[in-house]
Amino acid sequence: MTSAPTSTPPPEPLSAPHSFQVDLRGLVDLLSHHLYSSPRVYVRELLQNAVDAVTARQAIDPGAHAGIRLSASGGRVTIEDSGIGLTVAEAHSFLATIGRSSKRGGGDELHDRTLEATRSEFLGQFGIGLLACFVVARQIRVVTRSARDPRAAPVEWLATDDGSYTVRELPHAARPEPGTTVVLEARPGAAEWTVPAKVEELARDYGSLLPHDITFDDGQGGEPRPVTDRPAVWERAFPTPAARRVALAGHCAELFGFTPLDSIDLDLPVAGVRGVAYVLPDPTSPAHRAGHRVHLKGMLLTQRADNLLPDWAFFVRAVIDTDTLRPTASRENLYDDETLSAVRDALGARIRGWLAELPASDPDRLAAFLRVHHLGVKSMARHDSELLGLMLPWLPFETSSGSMSLQEFAAAHTDIHFTRTVEEFRQIAPIAAAHGLGVINAGYTYDADLLALLPSVRPELKVTELDAGAVTERLDPVPTAAELALAPFLATARTRLEAQSCDVVLRAFQPVTVPALYLDDRQARQERDRTAAMESADSLWSDILGALRGSAPRARLVLNHNNPLIRRISGLQDEALTGTAVESLYGQALLMSQRPLRPADSALLNRAFLGLLEWATHPTAHPTDARDREEDQK
């Protein structure tokens, strides 16, 4: 038996729509603690509304006066503009409604068409408007008169931070001309933001590049001072390039606090971007996110834009004015969209162009730049192929021919060798230079990685790590007859250093003052480490490590046949004394190479030192006596 299907009850009818209720106190808390980084932005909001009002006025009356006057005194901040003004209905609609902006149009067809034609000139786009000033104000009073309706009476809009406001019409005499006056009264705890000096500082910071004349009056009876300073310094005409460079350097010092190494123009007319990048005079980490200064249609947007330039352009600080880039809702940073990405690439191309021109146009300036930023450029070039190709030939390296760029070094050497440690380079550099061997010190940060990438930029170059065989082959061989005559001496030397896994060869090389040269390579070091591990391991691991014995060449002690001391040692008749002398030469060569000493090396140095002391104090004593006594003590 099946049950009858249950019927679905009909849906209840929808209620009438309701409007959102906005708590002004909650909104002010949201603005001051979450949207805006500081209460200082209230000056920007005042300037923005005034500039937009003047822009709208000029759209319908191009001959109208365009002026903005800001003043501060006694805890009050006042701004007056000759802009478009508002009617009673517009005051209700635009000043007290969150999300509604007078820049969006209000139903009047002609008005909307006019606004649409000038929308790109407006600074504000989000409709938060005057209410944002409650971050510092307990009361806002607006007296305004519309320029669109000459018959409309002036309007007073008065609001307090408890969320209430009143609107009333005033006599025509209260404001004879169109425009708006806004008066803020400081709220408790915010008086510091209404001090005249502070208000003027903020107005200059935010508004120095705004398109309309703005003045500031501190209430002391003097003449109002100009706030705007146009055109921007990078757009001004100067009598000479040197004068322009000096002016830009002063501008950089004022904005960023440093005198730049150079300045780079960043004008992109198609993208509506104008500005300049200043090259830092001191090293900085590529990982540091640079803060750039961005103006939007003249109004300062942010001093900390970290997405304006490519990451590799870490060595500059930029200041730009843009008409096209979008701000975030707080208008304190740039919205990272496709437009910003395209502008970022274009600005990066300008900086690359500056770098590309320096080698030919100003090599001294390039050298100065690389002296400061070579480490950062090396770091970024490892991961940026374009930067690698652009800068690698000019980056400075320590070489066997002195400090120079790869471009200069490659002109003399097509086979380039490098050492992985500074100590190894310092030992081999004098010998390599004397025998025409091109060696680069890759013991510094990033150098080995960059040298490995060098053939990708210069395919005709061969880059290899220096090994003992390559050096030995470059040194002059000793005549066969002389080497045969010294065969017993070489046999003794090789036997004595067998325990150190070190071979002994005889060569003639410069400088003569170097008696012996200790050479090894990575394979030789790995083999020594394997041997040391085998000696300290248990029987199982010892067998395994023994089975892994490689065919890698051993380290080499290269004796200099040109050195008088080597000739005297090779002529000794006492085999034990000869062995002690060879151990001393080995120890001295190790110390000169500044390599870490193994326990066996330290024991050999101690034994050789005591042996030589024994021989020096008791010439008739056998050099092995010291070794015997050492063994007895064990």
Side-chain angles (χ1 to χ4, degrees), residues 372-390:
V372 174
H373 295 294
H374 67 276
L375 189 61
V377 171
K378 286 179 178 181
S379 171
M380 297 301 295
R382 296 176 303 151
H383 311 295
D384 188 311
S385 58
E386 290 188 42
L387 189 62
L388 175 72
L390 190 62

Side-chain angles (χ1 to χ4, degrees), residues 398 421-430 441 444 592 594:
E398 185 178 5
T421 66
V422 176
E423 294 77 19
E424 185 179 5
F425 172 81
R426 290 176 180 170
Q427 184 196 21
I428 198 63
N441 180 6
Y444 296 117
M592 289 296 293
Q594 301 184 37

Side-chain angles (χ1 to χ4, degrees), residues 254-308:
E254 182 181 352
L255 285 186
F256 298 116
F258 64 84
T259 301
L261 283 176
D262 202 357
S263 57
I264 308 167
D265 286 321
L266 298 179
D267 289 353
L268 300 173
V270 176
V273 174
R274 305 157 300 279
V276 63
Y278 295 114
V279 182
L280 291 166
D282 300 308
T284 186
S285 169
H288 177 66
R289 300 288 287 181
H292 305 293
R293 189 177 176 94
V294 177
H295 295 257
L296 178 61
K297 302 182 182 72
M299 179 73 77
L300 177 66
L301 184 71
T302 179
Q303 303 180 73
R304 299 185 297 274
D306 59 3
N307 56 354
L308 178 66

